[in-house]
Amino acid sequence: MTIRVHLRHDTIYKYDRKVFLSPHIFRIRPAPHCRTPIESYSMKILPQNHFINWQQDPFGNYLARVVFPEKTDILSISVEIIAKMSPINPFDFFLEESAKNYPFSYNESLKKELAPYLEIEESNETLLNWVEKIKQEKVHLIDFLVDVNKQTYNHLKYQIRLEPGTQTCAETLKLKSGSCRDFAWLMVQTMRHLGIAARFVSGYLIQLTADIPSLDGPSGPEKDFTDLHAWCEVYIPGAGWIGLDATSGLLAGEGHIPLACTPNYESAAVISGSLEKCEVDFRYKNEVKRISETPRVTKPYTEEQWEEIYKLGFQVDEELKKNDVRLTMGGEPTFVSIDDMESPEWNTEADGKQKRILAENLSRRLLNAFGKGGVIQHSQGKWYPG
């Protein structure tokens, strides 16, 4: 049931004059831990006269450091990805015994390694009141994570916010609204206050239209859609990093393609760099197209496809006939002796001298009757218990 898609993301800055660009950092390559299979990736940059150096930051994300030696009046970045949208079960993980229920504690070694993801960077009355409302005692951890994610989704209203930067948690809670990055940062800080390591994720979200309308809820987007997105990941012993997308109230699945996962949203920016003061015309485009998709229960072969398969069958028949390939029925003769009822080879042993003689005779007779010009192959048969 795999659907292969082509994602294209164009970002274009046009300047009113030629300007010098500082070295830029691009975080627009799927992260190493991306669960969605990426078959192909490319990034094209204008101006063409540039130097690129691929790196990995301290958190394992791919970075492209690009140097522009000359002035330019345009900066264009075009990313293309071919991905296999194989269904991913977001609950396909195990929990360590120590982390099956909330609250739980990381062991000292793990706590040191997760230190950047446990740092509380915002603490105010508004946020603390929010945390206190959702805190629970002795509850199954998966239920707890799902509940916190759902409460955040229900409490806030999603909006497309074009202003730069990320709202503080207090602003998001007071406004009861925000963009995906505001939702994600609130989730990160909420989880850390609850004692759970969390990180900010910047990436792509791909949403494909459903084959058939939903019977008991929203059917999803009316057309295939992709855009830059942000969500939160929490670290759970035994399970590893689990993605929580509060803008939908769901766990991250095959449509979530992470680009950068960091302790703070500032170090997950898709593009970082500076330039001389100038007027800028900014444009971007995100689009996704289906390349191929396998037939499935909800979207089987069309009548036209069935007709092509039917015609292909006759072509195969002609090829087989032309090459004198004949199909026969196979079988597995089982010997039961009528002459020697008591010998071990006819009772408890799998092999025996008389069995081999009879098998050889029968094979020769079958060859002469049905397979003239063929060969006999002697090979090991089935093994039976005992």
Side-chain angles (χ1 to χ4, degrees), residues 91-142:
F91 295 97
D92 185 17
F93 55 80
F94 294 95
L95 300 176
E96 294 286 359
E97 195 64 36
S98 62
K100 285 197 171 181
N101 294 307
Y102 178 84
F104 70 93
S105 299
Y106 299 105
N107 63 49
E108 289 304 314
S109 175
L110 190 55
K111 192 179 293 184
K112 285 183 181 179
E113 295 168 352
L114 293 172
Y117 308 104
L118 289 165
E119 182 182 355
I120 294 174
E121 300 180 56
E122 290 192 32
S123 186
N124 52 68
E125 186 178 355
T126 304
L127 178 57
L128 293 176
N129 287 339
W130 164 254
V131 172
E132 198 60 35
K133 285 181 182 177
I134 62 177
K135 186 182 292 186
Q136 299 182 43
E137 291 296 331
K138 199 62 176 177
V139 60
H140 193 277
L141 182 61
I142 295 176

Side-chain angles (χ1 to χ4, degrees), residues 23-297:
H24 276 51
I25 298 293
F26 299 119
R27 301 176 181 86
I28 327 180
R29 178 175 168 182
H33 74 282
C34 176
R35 294 187 298 168
T36 304
I38 305 298
E39 293 188 341
S40 176
Y41 172 84
S42 70
M43 182 175 70
K44 298 177 182 178
I45 300 174
L46 291 177
Q48 290 185 339
N49 185 18
H50 64 267
F51 305 96
I52 185 168
N53 177 34
W54 282 102
Q55 310 171 358
Q56 281 187 283
D57 67 10
F59 314 107
N61 305 298
Y62 292 119
L63 309 180
R65 186 178 187 274
V66 184
V67 176
F68 304 96
E70 298 176 350
K71 284 188 173 184
T72 180
D73 58 3
I74 187 171
L75 174 59
S76 171
I77 309 99
S78 180
V79 170
E80 293 187 76
I81 292 173
I82 294 178
K84 289 177 67 176
M85 299 291 285
S86 304
I88 291 175
N89 176 6
F91 295 97
D92 185 17
F93 55 80
F94 294 95
L95 300 176
E96 294 286 359
E97 195 64 36
S98 62
K100 285 197 171 181
N101 294 307
Y102 178 84
F104 70 93
S105 299
Y106 299 105
N107 63 49
E108 289 304 314
S109 175
L110 190 55
K111 192 179 293 184
K112 285 183 181 179
E113 295 168 352
L114 293 172
Y117 308 104
L118 289 165
E119 182 182 355
I120 294 174
E121 300 180 56
E122 290 192 32
S123 186
N124 52 68
E125 186 178 355
T126 304
L127 178 57
L128 293 176
N129 287 339
W130 164 254
V131 172
E132 198 60 35
K133 285 181 182 177
I134 62 177
K135 186 182 292 186
Q136 299 182 43
E137 291 296 331
K138 199 62 176 177
V139 60
H140 193 277
L141 182 61
I142 295 176
D143 294 337
F144 180 69
L145 295 177
V146 170
D147 189 51
V148 175
N149 199 39
K150 187 178 178 182
Q151 284 193 55
T152 307
Y153 165 75
N154 289 332
H155 186 77
L156 304 178
K157 182 180 180 181
Y158 174 74
Q159 64 174 12
I160 297 174
R161 198 168 59 79
L162 299 179
E163 298 88 355
T166 301
Q167 293 175 174
T168 65
C169 296
E171 289 174 325
T172 302
L173 289 169
K174 287 177 181 177
L175 293 170
K176 292 188 177 182
S177 68
S179 65
C180 57
R181 60 189 184 275
D182 304 318
F183 277 61
W185 184 239
L186 174 61
M187 280 289 290
V188 167
Q189 288 301 301
T190 299
M191 287 297 176
R192 292 182 189 177
H193 274 281
L194 293 167
I196 299 175
R199 64 185 182 183
F200 184 92
V201 185
S202 170
Y204 291 117
L205 175 63
I206 298 175
Q207 292 180 296
L208 303 179
T209 54
D211 294 334
I212 54 178
S214 174
L215 296 176
D216 58 355
S219 296
E222 296 180 359
K223 63 179 182 177
D224 295 345
F225 165 85
T226 186
D227 205 350
L228 284 170
H229 193 51
W231 60 95
C232 164
E233 287 184 352
V234 294
Y235 190 87
I236 306 301
W241 291 104
I242 299 172
L244 303 173
D245 187 352
T247 58
S248 63
L250 302 174
L251 272 67
E254 65 274 6
H256 293 77
I257 300 178
L259 299 174
C261 306
T262 58
N264 189 287
Y265 58 83
E266 292 178 343
S267 50
V270 174
I271 300 175
S272 301
S274 60
L275 68 159
E276 297 179 70
K277 189 174 182 180
C278 63
E279 294 294 324
V280 182
D281 177 28
F282 171 67
R283 298 179 186 179
Y284 73 95
K285 180 174 69 174
N286 290 281
E287 61 180 15
V288 63
K289 294 180 180 178
R290 303 189 190 203
I291 300 175
S292 63
E293 48 186 315
T294 56
R296 45 200 180 274
V297 173

